[in-house]
Amino acid sequence: MAKHKWQFTARFRAGAYGWKGTALAAKRMKEAVTEIKKVARTDSGLAGQGAVELLCRLYPACEHIDGSSGSLGTALNRTVAALVPILIQADWDMNTRGRWLENLYEAVCNDGWSILSQVEDRWGEICVYAGLANLWADRLVPFLRDVWSSADRGHATGDSICLSCLLHMQRYDELRELIALDRLKFWSNACFWAEALVQQGKIDEAVAYAESIRDFHEGKYDNHSIDDFCEKTLLEAGRAEEA
């Protein structure tokens, strides 16, 4: 079978957009997503390949754009959000999915803006296969434990990938122990344990834990995302008045 030729690849080369390229890049992203979704109607596996291809090209193509207005970030977030379901629904066997995830992981490691954070946060779902999610968790747990246990706690690429896989596979004890090592208590990591508490039906504990992260930072960071989590959790538990 001849290799499919994606139209968007020519528009997402490294350094394709200059300092004032936000509007054009946003337009090209929308066109690329439309192209991939069109293919998804008849071939989910091929569409998944297109999604990986575009995700891997976003940062190299857009890294020189002035993102200070926020418009570029909005376009990138919208694009990634549209592609995650396509990745999950792609009809791949476990080995094929594993190979595409390796490509995505390389893109994550080279992502200077955390453009792919939504992909990292949902890595467990994107794995689809339990064996694959467990493999990624087992691969990253030792690394993350070493980084978070060190006195000069540095940045750990793939932290959300690891936590997402542990959550998805309901490996709650390991998730709790790992989160406890993070002395900085960022909500971007803590949210996985909060969600684990919800999955276990511990609604009050989940809300209290989220509030404790806010208190730890004295309300300086993550207020909106913590508010959103608490409200969503209480609403889904049928506790609208508290929400």
Side-chain angles (χ1 to χ4, degrees):
M1 180 183 296
K3 184 178 179 181
H4 181 80
K5 182 173 177 58
W6 293 101
Q7 298 301 310
F8 68 78
T9 56
R11 299 160 186 157
F12 285 91
R13 308 175 311 278
Y17 301 98
W19 186 251
K20 297 182 179 181
T22 295
L24 181 57
K27 179 183 177 182
R28 296 308 188 201
M29 285 181 224
K30 187 174 181 179
E31 292 171 350
V33 169
T34 298
E35 181 183 0
I36 293 169
K37 284 184 173 180
K38 183 177 180 180
V39 171
R41 296 172 193 160
T42 55
D43 192 333
S44 66
L46 181 58
Q49 294 177 28
V52 172
E53 188 74 33
L54 180 55
L55 288 167
C56 290
R57 289 169 175 265
L58 288 176
Y59 175 69
C62 298
E63 64 175 320
H64 300 304
I65 298 176
D66 173 21
S68 60
S69 70
S71 298
L72 178 63
T74 298
L76 287 166
N77 288 335
R78 187 183 297 117
T79 299
V80 175
L83 295 176
V84 168
I86 293 173
L87 291 174
I88 295 172
Q89 294 160 14
D91 184 16
W92 294 326
D93 60 33
M94 182 171 167
N95 288 336
T96 301
R97 185 169 289 274
R99 288 195 297 272
W100 287 116
L101 282 175
E102 290 293 344
N103 287 8
L104 274 177
Y105 184 65
E106 183 177 353
V108 166
C109 292
N110 295 322
D111 181 2
W113 291 347
S114 297
I115 291 169
L116 303 181
S117 59
Q118 293 181 72
V119 174
E120 296 179 70
D121 289 346
R122 299 184 65 182
W123 202 270
E125 296 173 72
I126 295 170
C127 283
V128 175
Y129 299 96
L132 201 52
N134 279 321
L135 281 172
W136 276 97
D138 293 342
R139 172 177 172 176
L140 293 172
V141 162
F143 166 68
L144 196 53
R145 183 182 291 120
D146 287 346
V147 172
W148 285 357
S149 297
S150 66
D152 56 345
R153 192 266 202 210
H155 173 68
T157 299
D159 50 1
S160 293
I161 291 175
C162 180
L163 300 174
S164 172
C165 289
L166 290 174
L167 175 64
H168 187 67
M169 297 312 302
Q170 300 181 4
R171 291 165 60 172
Y172 298 135
D173 289 342
E174 293 170 87
L175 179 58
R176 183 185 66 249
E177 292 168 5
L178 201 55
I179 289 290
L181 293 175
D182 185 14
R183 297 185 299 277
L184 299 182
K185 297 186 184 300
F186 290 130
W187 175 246
S188 57
N189 294 322
C191 66
F192 289 97
W193 179 240
E195 186 58 41
L197 290 169
V198 173
Q199 288 185 8
Q200 296 172 83
K202 301 176 180 180
I203 305 303
D204 290 333
E205 288 184 45
V207 172
Y209 176 71
E211 293 289 358
S212 75
I213 301 301
R214 187 206 309 276
D215 293 342
F216 179 83
H217 292 289
E218 299 179 340
K220 295 178 181 177
Y221 308 109
D222 299 313
N223 275 346
H224 293 304
S225 51
I226 291 174
D227 287 343
D228 290 345
F229 169 81
C230 292
E231 181 181 42
K232 176 176 177 287
T233 297
L234 291 168
L235 286 173
E236 290 180 350
R239 296 160 60 174
E241 186 174 342
E242 292 174 77

